[in-house]
């Protein structure tokens, strides 16, 4: 993400989202009540032409501003939509005060205006900018003749696969078995190389298939082998990817990787809860009470709670008291576990009476 222009006095920042991760960040930076201004396309009634054209209207592209009433980010389509009341635009094309949905586009400037920019929102913008400079990682979990890829993104894991081969079992006599193994491995490699800017590859899974695949990389694709490491897991598929995340393997490779950090934080929280620790709070009421008492060392809050519960002031309060705030994505297993605890939790500095 790039910042084109910012004016603290007038409360606006103009940004250009460059990746899907940027749209995800923006979906949690933008809040209900903010104003957004960007290019949009809308079908306008045209009464100057024939009746059919008049009935359907014509599409026109222009700059439009609106006061936001709703925000939605669709993971699988990669679309960020803002809906609300139109506050600015060409008077001859649209009536002010009517409703419109603005789709935020990649590589298209977007101006966000807030009555006040809280610390967590500024921090989130800076995180998005830093993240755009970093490269991704791919987790490849192999089991028998099946591979599952997990592409590390800021918003969570984007799954790709499964990729299937046609490899017979070792006990079955098949003169084409080795040929089929090579075809399967090349199919997996082709899938990996479809993605740009991969810094690290974690090759994981139960059994020895992962080791054989790694040896094949070293022999035939040394460039990929140089950025690959092996990791044993007890399961294949998506469960194997979750195991890798919980082990912190990706965190060691890319220490600032958000998903691995979030999964590690949630795992630590659940460990403390399992130990019946008195230095843990979870649920909205209990966590908010700990915030008000200045007892929070680390606040974990689900991304959907940030805007929905108007938590900006509470998050700023934690940071002002030298605590850490971590916004957890709802798009991975750790986020779902936090959601089951009420969407927010905290590690405390001291026990509460």
């Amino acid at each position: 993400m790039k910042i084109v222009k910012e004016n603290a006095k007038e409360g606006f920042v103009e940004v250009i989202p460059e990746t899907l991760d940027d749209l995800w960040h923006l979906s949690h930076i933008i809040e209900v009540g903010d104003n957004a201004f960007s290019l949009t396309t809308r079908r306008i009634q045209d009464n100057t032409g024939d009746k059919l054209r008049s009935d359907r209207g014509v599409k026109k592209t222009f700059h439009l501003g609106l006061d936001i009433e709703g925000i939605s980010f669709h993971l699988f389509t990669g679309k960020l939509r803002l809906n609300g009341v139109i506050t600015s635009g060409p008077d001859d094309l649209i009536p002010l005060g009517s409703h419109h949905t603005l789709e935020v586009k990649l590589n298209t400037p977007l101006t966000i205006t807030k009555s006040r920019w809280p610390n967590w929102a500024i921090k989130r913008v800076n995180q998005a900018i830093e993240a755009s400079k970093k490269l991704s990682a791919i987790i490849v979990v192999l089991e028998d003749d099946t591979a599952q890829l997990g592409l590390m993104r800021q918003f969570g894991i984007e799954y790709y696969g499964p990729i299937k081969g046609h490899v017979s079992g070792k006990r079955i006599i098949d003169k084409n078995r080795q040929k089929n193994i090579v075809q399967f491995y090349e199919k997996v490699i082709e899938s990996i190389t479809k993605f740009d800017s991969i810094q690290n590859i974690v090759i994981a899974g139960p059994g020895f298939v992962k080791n054989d695949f790694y040896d094949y990389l070293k022999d035939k694709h040394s460039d990929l082998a140089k950025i690959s490491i092996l990791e044993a897991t007890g399961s294949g598929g998506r469960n194997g990817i979750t195991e890798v995340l919980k082990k912190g393997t990706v965190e060691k490779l890319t220490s600032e990787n958000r998903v691995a950090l979030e999964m590690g934080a949630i795992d630590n929280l659940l460990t403390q809860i399992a130990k019946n620790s008195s230095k843990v709070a979870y649920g909205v009421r209990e966590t908010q009470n700990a915030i008000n008492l200045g007892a929070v060392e680390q606040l974990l809050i689900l991304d959907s709670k940030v805007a929905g519960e108007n938590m900006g002031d509470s998050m700023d309060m934690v940071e002002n008291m030298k605590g850490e705030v971590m916004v957890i994505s709802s798009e991975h297993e750790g986020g779902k576990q936090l959601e089951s605890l009420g969407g927010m939790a905290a590690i405390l500095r001291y026990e509460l009476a």
Side-chain angles (χ1 to χ4, degrees), residues 228-243:
S228 299
I229 66 162
L230 283 170
E231 183 67 77
T233 61
S235 306
R238 295 191 179 191
N239 289 337
I241 292 172
T242 300
E243 280 188 59

Side-chain angles (χ1 to χ4, degrees), residues 19-316:
T19 67
L20 187 63
D21 284 342
D22 291 343
L23 295 182
W24 177 75
H25 276 292
L26 286 172
S27 72
H28 301 299
I29 292 168
I30 300 168
E31 300 174 275
V32 171
D34 292 349
N35 184 272
F37 183 82
S38 186
L39 273 176
T40 190
T41 299
R42 193 175 191 186
R43 193 174 292 278
I44 306 295
Q45 289 300 115
D46 182 1
N47 297 315
T48 60
D50 58 67
K51 188 174 187 301
L52 181 62
R53 189 178 183 85
S54 176
D55 288 344
R56 294 178 59 201
V58 292
K59 283 187 175 181
K60 292 186 180 290
T61 300
F62 47 86
H63 283 91
L64 178 141
L66 53 81
D67 284 337
I68 298 166
E69 295 180 341
I71 304 134
S72 62
F73 175 69
H74 300 276
L75 173 61
F76 295 107
T77 61
K79 293 184 184 300
L80 171 59
R81 292 189 173 98
L82 313 173
N83 61 74
V85 178
I86 297 171
T87 58
S88 62
D91 296 335
D92 59 328
L93 295 179
I94 52 160
L96 299 184
S98 62
H99 281 78
H100 180 69
T101 297
L102 179 67
E103 184 177 320
V104 180
K105 304 276 191 183
L106 293 180
N107 303 310
T108 300
L110 171 73
T111 301
I112 307 161
T113 303
K114 293 177 177 286
S115 57
R116 183 181 75 87
W117 277 83
N119 292 336
W120 67 264
I122 296 168
K123 185 177 178 181
R124 195 67 179 262
V125 172
N126 291 329
Q127 283 178 345
I129 292 169
E130 285 302 310
S132 67
K133 300 173 185 176
K134 300 181 184 299
L135 302 176
S136 307
I138 281 186
I139 301 171
V140 184
V141 175
L142 298 112
E143 185 177 25
D144 299 327
D145 62 348
T146 303
Q148 177 82 54
L149 305 188
L151 181 64
M152 302 290 290
R153 294 195 178 277
Q154 291 290 301
F155 60 78
I157 294 290
E158 183 178 335
Y159 294 101
Y160 185 92
I163 302 161
K164 293 280 190 178
H166 301 284
V167 182
S168 58
K170 287 184 179 180
R171 296 181 181 180
I172 300 173
I173 298 174
D174 182 359
K175 63 180 181 180
N176 293 320
R177 188 172 188 275
Q178 188 57 40
K179 179 183 175 182
N180 291 338
I181 289 173
V182 169
Q183 287 178 345
F184 171 54
Y185 287 170
E186 285 295 335
K187 194 174 178 181
V188 175
I189 291 164
E190 183 184 352
S191 297
I192 292 171
T193 54
K194 283 180 182 177
F195 302 103
D196 295 328
S197 303
I198 302 303
Q199 185 178 29
N200 298 108
I201 301 170
V202 180
I203 302 169
F208 295 99
V209 178
K210 64 181 182 301
N211 304 74
D212 293 340
F213 179 70
Y214 182 53
D215 289 341
Y216 182 79
L217 284 186
K218 288 192 290 186
D219 185 37
K220 302 294 184 181
H221 299 272
S222 59
D223 55 330
L224 294 179
K226 287 176 183 176
I227 59 171
S228 299
I229 66 162
L230 283 170
E231 183 67 77
T233 61
S235 306
R238 295 191 179 191
N239 289 337
I241 292 172
T242 300
E243 280 188 59
V244 172
L245 289 171
K246 286 185 176 179
K247 285 184 177 184
T249 306
V250 178
E251 186 177 1
K252 293 171 190 173
L253 295 174
T254 52
S255 61
E256 293 186 40
N257 185 280
R258 171 171 290 275
V259 179
L261 287 172
E262 289 177 11
M263 292 287 285
I266 294 298
D267 201 40
N268 176 55
L269 171 71
L270 296 175
T271 299
Q272 296 303 315
I273 291 174
K275 290 179 179 178
N276 292 317
S277 172
S278 300
K279 295 172 71 174
V280 174
Y282 56 88
V284 176
R285 182 180 298 179
E286 197 173 321
T287 307
Q288 188 63 63
N289 180 55
I291 294 171
N292 294 337
L293 292 172
V296 175
E297 184 175 284
Q298 183 186 50
L299 174 65
L300 306 177
I301 180 166
L302 199 64
D303 51 17
S304 58
K305 284 280 184 186
V306 174
E309 301 286 340
N310 194 24
M311 290 296 298
D313 289 342
S314 296
M315 293 162 74
D316 280 356

